[in-house]
C-alpha cells in the first residue's frame, strides 16, 4: 500500500538572522482536516517558521512539500494562490476602507475598470453569514474594536478558500461569544478537509481545538504528540526550559490607605456613574466583557477621551486631567491594550521607543550636537531589568517578538516613575514565560507601593493577580469582590445578571 501523502510537510528547515540561527532543522507535518497547535515562548521561532511557509522569509536550508510536490514561495501572493493563508496576531487592515472593502481588497469584482461594489458587498455578506460573524459591512475599519478587527482578519483569511489556514493568536482579542464562533468555524473547516496551524499562548484552548500539539523552543521542535497525550505542566516545562510552579506569583506586601478614587464618573454613550478606589500597594482588577466600558473608563481617566461628569481624586484631593500630559504630571502611567497601534512606533528603535516618555529628562546637547548618553544608559538599564532579548538598542521594534515588544511598552512607562499604573490586557498575545515575568513585575510594583489597576479578559489572570475585582457591564458597575471571595462563577454571574 502507498503511504498516505501529508497535505504539507516541512523537512529540515533552517533560518538565520545576522548570523544567529533561529530555526534548527525543523520538521513539521500537516494533515487534511486536522489542527496542529504550535506552542512556545515568544522568540521560539513560531512566527519565523510560518513566515517562511507564507513566502515572507526565505529558508537557508530545508524543503517544503505541498501534497507531495516541492514548493518554494517567493512572496505571500504565491502562497495564497496555492491555498495557504495566514491570520496574523498584529492586524494590518486598511483603516479608511469599509469592512466589505477590506475583505476583498485586491480581489474586487470588476466590470471593465469599475469595481462592482454591490457584488462585493454581497460576497462579504454571504461569507460572514456562513461563518456566523456579525460585522457592519459599511463601517470603516478605523472605527472597529480590536475584537471586531480580529474577526475581520479571520473572515478575510478564510475567504481565499484555503487548503491550509495559519492562525496566529486568533483569540487574543476576542470575547467569549466570539471565541465560540471561531471554534465552530474551525470545526466546520475541519469537516471540509482544511488543515490548520493554531498558534496560541492560551493553553486551555488546546483541548477544544487541537488534534496535535508541537512545542517549539529556541528554534527546535521539542515534542509533537496527540492532544490526548499532552499534560499541561509538562508542556509548559518544555516551552520555557524550566519548571514554573506557580504561574501567578505572589509577594508579601502592605496594602495602605486609599490613594486614588473616582466618584460618579460618566462619559455620555460609554459609561455612567462609575465609582471605585485603589489603595497604596493594591492591585485592582477590572472585569467585564469586551464592550463593557473598561478601556473607555481608564482612557478617560488618563485624559485620552476626557470624562464629562464626576470626580477624580488623588490622595484625597480632586485633580483635573484634560489630556495625557496632565496624567503624566500627576505620575500616572497607562499601558494600552493594542501595543502595535497605541504603544509603539514599530519602525523605530528600542531606544527611541523606550525613551519617548522621558526625552526632556535624558536628552542633552553637546554644543550643537545631540548627546544620547542618557537615553542609552536608561535603555541599557531597562533591557537588563526587563530581560528583553535583543541584539542592540538600535534594533527596530518590529523585528522583536510580541513578548519583548510588550516589555518595551511597560519599560517606557516605568521610566516615568509612576505612582498610579493602569494596565489594559497586559499579557495579550504573549507566551507563558513572558507572562510570568510581567506578573512578577506587576507584583513588584504593588510591593513598592504603587496603586495598580489591571484590565483583563482572562478570569484566571484576574483571580491569580488581583487583591480586589470590580465588574463592569454595559458601562455600569455590576459588582465588586475581594480576591478571597472571587471565583470565575461569581464574576460571570455579575457580568450576566439582569
Amino acid at each position: 500500500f502507498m503511504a498516505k501523502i501529508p497535505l504539507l510537510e516541512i523537512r529540515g528547515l533552517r533560518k538565520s538572522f545576522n548570523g544567529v540561527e533561529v530555526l534548527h532543522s525543523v520538521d513539521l507535518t500537516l494533515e487534511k482536516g486536522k489542527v496542529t497547535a504550535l506552542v512556545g515562548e515568544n522568540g521560539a521561532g513560531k512566527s519565523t517558521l510560518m513566515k517562511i511557509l507564507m513566502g515572507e522569509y526565505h529558508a537557508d536550508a530545508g524543503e517544503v512539500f505541498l501534497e507531495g510536490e516541492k514548493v518554494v514561495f517567493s512572496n505571500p501572493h504565491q502562497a495564497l494562490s496555492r491555498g495557504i493563508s495566514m491570520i496574523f496576531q498584529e492586524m494590518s487592515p486598511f483603516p479608511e476602507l469599509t469592512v466589505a472593502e477590506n475583505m476583498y481588497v485586491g480581489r474586487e469584482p470588476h466590470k471593465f475598470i469599475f469595481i462592482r461594489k454591490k457584488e462585493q458587498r454581497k460576497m462579504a455578506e454571504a461569507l460572514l453569514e456562513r461563518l456566523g460573524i456579525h460585522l457592519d459591512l459599511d463601517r470603516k475599519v478605523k472605527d472597529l474594536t480590536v475584537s471586531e478587527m480580529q474577526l475581520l482578519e479571520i473572515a478575510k483569511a478564510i475567504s481565499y478558500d484555503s487548503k491550509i489556514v495559519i492562525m496566529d493568536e486568533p483569540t487574543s482579542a476576542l470575547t467569549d461569544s466570539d471565541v465560540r464562533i471561531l471554534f465552530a468555524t474551525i470545526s466546520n473547516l475541519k469537516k471540509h478537509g482544511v488543515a490548520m496551524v493554531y498558534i496560541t499562548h492560551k493553553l486551555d484552548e488546546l483541548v477544544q481545538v487541537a488534534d496535535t500539539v508541537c512545542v517549539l523552543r529556541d528554534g527546535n521542535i521539542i515534542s509533537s504528540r496527540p492532544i490526548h497525550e499532552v499534560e499541561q505542566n509538562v508542556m509548559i516545562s518544555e516551552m520555557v526550559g524550566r519548571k514554573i510552579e506557580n504561574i501567578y506569583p505572589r509577594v508579601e506586601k502592605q496594602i495602605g490607605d486609599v490613594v486614588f478614587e473616582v466618584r460618579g464618573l460618566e462619559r455620555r454613550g460609554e459609561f455612567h456613574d462609575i465609582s471605585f478606589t485603589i489603595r497604596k500597594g493594591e492591585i485592582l482588577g477590572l472585569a467585564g466583557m469586551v464592550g463593557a466600558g473598561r478601556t473607555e473608563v481608564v482612557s478617560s481617566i488618563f485624559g485620552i477621551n476626557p470624562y464629562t461628569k464626576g470626580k477624580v481624586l488623588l490622595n484625597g484631593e480632586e485633580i483635573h486631567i484634560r489630556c495625557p500630559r496632565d496624567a503624566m504630571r500627576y505620575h500616572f502611567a497607562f499601558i494600552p491594550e493594542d501595543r502595535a497601534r497605541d504603544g509603539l512606533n514599530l519602525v523605530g528603535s528600542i531606544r527611541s521607543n523606550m525613551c519617548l516618555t522621558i526625552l526632556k529628562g535624558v536628552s542633552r546637547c553637546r554644543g550643537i550636537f545631540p548627546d544620547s548618553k542618557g537615553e542609552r544608559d536608561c535603555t541599557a538599564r531597562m533591557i537588563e531589568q526587563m530581560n528583553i532579548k535583543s541584539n542592540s538598542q538600535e534594533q527596530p521594534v518590529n523585528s522583536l517578538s510580541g513578548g519583548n515588544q510588550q516589555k518595551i511598552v511597560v519599560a517606557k512607562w516605568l521610566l516615568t516613575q509612576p505612582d498610579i499604573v493602569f494596565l489594559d490586557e497586559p499579557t495579550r498575545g504573549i507566551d507563558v514565560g513572558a507572562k510570568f515575568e510581567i506578573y512578577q513585575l506587576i507584583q513588584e510594583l504593588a510591593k513598592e507601593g504603587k496603586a495598580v489597576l489591571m484590565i483583563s479578559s482572562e478570569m484566571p489572570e484576574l483571580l491569580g493577580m488581583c487583591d480586589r475585582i470590580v465588574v463592569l457591564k454595559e458601562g455600569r458597575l455590576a459588582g465588586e469582590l475581594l480576591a478571597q471571595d472571587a471565583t470565575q462563577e461569581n464574576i460571570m454571574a455579575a457580568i450576566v445578571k439582569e
Side-chain angles (χ1 to χ4, degrees):
F1 293 96
M2 289 183 63
K4 183 181 176 184
I5 297 175
L7 180 57
L8 184 121
E9 189 175 8
I10 294 171
R11 299 178 192 166
L13 221 59
R14 293 181 178 272
K15 179 64 180 175
S16 297
F17 292 105
N18 302 318
V20 179
E21 192 168 73
V22 296
L23 291 178
H24 314 292
S25 194
V26 170
D27 298 331
L28 185 70
T29 299
L30 305 182
E31 296 180 16
K32 289 183 180 180
K34 301 288 185 183
V35 175
T36 299
L38 194 59
V39 300
E41 290 192 278
N42 282 325
K46 304 184 302 295
S47 293
T48 300
L49 178 60
M50 293 302 105
K51 285 179 179 179
I52 290 172
L53 184 55
M54 286 297 299
E56 284 195 53
Y57 294 159
H58 301 288
D60 300 328
E63 298 172 311
V64 178
F65 294 88
L66 183 61
E67 296 180 300
E69 176 192 349
K70 184 177 177 180
V71 292
V72 178
F73 300 132
S74 300
N75 54 62
H77 180 73
Q78 290 180 0
L80 282 167
S81 69
R82 293 297 301 270
I84 304 175
S85 62
M86 183 167 181
I87 303 162
F88 291 96
Q89 179 186 340
E90 303 299 351
M91 295 161 280
S92 55
F94 297 89
E96 292 297 331
L97 298 183
T98 66
V99 168
E101 289 166 343
N102 255 280
M103 284 177 66
Y104 291 98
V105 68
R107 301 176 291 151
E108 301 90 345
H110 284 83
K111 185 173 184 180
F112 304 117
I113 62 170
F114 302 104
I115 296 173
R116 301 173 70 162
K117 294 265 186 176
K118 286 185 179 178
E119 185 178 335
Q120 179 177 264
R121 197 181 185 284
K122 282 183 180 178
M123 289 162 57
E125 187 176 29
L127 178 62
L128 291 185
E129 186 175 344
R130 178 163 65 88
L131 297 177
I133 293 174
H134 302 287
L135 292 173
D136 182 348
L137 291 168
D138 301 314
R139 196 172 173 194
K140 285 191 175 182
V141 167
K142 68 178 182 181
D143 298 323
L144 299 181
T145 65
V146 174
S147 174
E148 288 169 333
M149 278 195 283
Q150 184 73 79
L151 287 173
L152 170 59
E153 288 293 294
I154 290 165
K156 189 174 173 181
I158 292 169
S159 72
Y160 286 91
D161 292 327
S162 301
K163 300 173 186 174
I164 297 168
V165 176
I166 302 163
M167 299 184 175
D168 189 359
E169 293 292 336
T171 64
S172 61
L174 299 188
T175 64
D176 288 344
S177 59
D178 290 338
V179 169
R180 286 194 291 273
I181 291 170
L182 174 64
F183 289 171
T185 301
I186 289 172
S187 180
N188 186 38
L189 291 172
K190 286 173 67 174
K191 291 174 185 174
H192 287 85
V194 176
M196 282 160 278
V197 178
Y198 192 91
I199 300 173
T200 186
H201 297 308
K202 296 183 178 181
L203 304 182
D204 293 338
E205 293 177 349
L206 299 182
V207 176
Q208 300 178 68
V209 293
D211 297 291
T212 302
V213 179
C214 290
V215 176
L216 192 66
R217 186 177 81 233
D218 297 331
N220 295 287
I221 295 286
I222 302 300
S223 69
S224 180
R225 53 173 74 97
I227 185 64
H228 64 268
E229 294 179 8
V230 173
E231 294 181 29
Q232 191 168 103
N233 289 339
V234 174
M235 179 173 58
I236 290 173
S237 296
E238 289 176 340
M239 287 167 61
V240 301
R242 63 190 187 278
K243 197 169 184 180
I244 295 179
E245 296 290 349
N246 183 6
I247 189 67
Y248 302 111
R250 287 282 186 172
V251 297
E252 287 199 18
K253 61 183 182 181
Q254 293 293 322
I255 295 180
D257 296 330
V258 171
V259 291
F260 175 78
E261 182 178 2
V262 296
R263 295 180 188 167
L265 221 61
E266 182 176 326
R267 181 174 168 83
R268 190 170 297 169
E270 292 186 355
F271 54 85
H272 178 75
D273 196 22
I274 303 296
S275 301
F276 59 82
T277 61
I278 315 178
R279 297 176 179 274
K280 186 175 182 179
E282 182 180 36
I283 302 173
L284 177 71
L286 208 53
M289 306 292 277
V290 172
R294 300 168 304 166
T295 298
E296 289 78 3
V297 168
V298 174
S299 62
S300 181
I301 295 168
F302 198 71
I304 296 170
N305 296 301
Y307 53 91
T308 51
K309 187 178 178 183
K311 293 182 178 181
V312 174
L313 293 90
L314 185 63
N315 295 314
E317 295 187 8
E318 185 177 1
I319 59 172
H320 300 279
I321 298 174
R322 297 175 181 84
C323 64
R325 190 183 296 275
D326 290 343
M328 291 171 68
R329 198 157 39 85
Y330 287 115
H331 301 287
F332 285 66
F334 181 24
I335 288 85
E337 174 185 11
D338 191 336
R339 58 177 172 266
R341 186 168 63 175
D342 303 322
L344 294 167
N345 169 20
L346 289 173
V347 297
S349 67
I350 294 172
R351 176 172 60 85
S352 65
N353 271 278
M354 207 175 278
C355 296
L356 191 62
T357 55
I358 56 164
L359 278 176
K360 283 188 177 180
V362 297
S363 294
R364 299 285 186 270
C365 284
R366 185 174 292 170
I368 61 171
F369 300 104
D371 179 12
S372 58
K373 184 179 184 303
E375 291 181 37
R376 292 196 302 272
D377 290 346
C378 286
T379 304
R381 187 175 80 248
M382 295 310 292
I383 285 175
E384 183 178 358
Q385 181 181 327
M386 301 287 292
N387 191 27
I388 295 168
K389 295 174 184 175
S390 63
N391 297 328
S392 77
Q393 296 186 11
E394 303 310 315
Q395 186 173 348
V397 167
N398 61 9
S399 68
L400 300 176
S401 67
N404 284 306
Q405 288 181 3
Q406 184 71 351
K407 289 178 185 178
I408 290 169
V409 179
V410 174
K412 176 178 78 172
W413 284 104
L414 291 187
L415 283 170
T416 67
Q417 299 182 321
D419 296 320
I420 314 290
V421 181
F422 299 150
L423 301 134
D424 192 354
E425 304 285 2
T427 64
R428 182 176 79 85
I430 65 175
D431 63 76
V432 66
K435 278 185 179 182
F436 183 69
E437 291 176 336
I438 295 289
Y439 293 151
Q440 285 180 312
L441 176 67
I442 293 169
Q443 291 289 0
E444 285 300 320
L445 289 173
K447 186 178 180 180
E448 291 169 11
K450 315 291 188 190
V452 180
L453 186 151
M454 186 169 105
I455 298 172
S456 178
S457 297
E458 297 188 38
M459 285 196 221
E461 185 169 85
L462 290 172
L463 295 169
M465 289 294 295
C466 299
D467 303 297
R468 192 161 46 93
I469 298 169
V470 169
V471 183
L472 263 60
K473 179 186 178 182
E474 296 175 356
R476 294 177 181 270
L477 287 174
E480 183 176 322
L481 302 158
L482 292 173
Q484 60 264 33
D485 302 325
T487 64
Q488 290 197 44
E489 289 74 20
N490 55 26
I491 292 174
M492 185 54 70
I495 290 172
V496 300
K497 74 179 180 182
E498 294 297 327

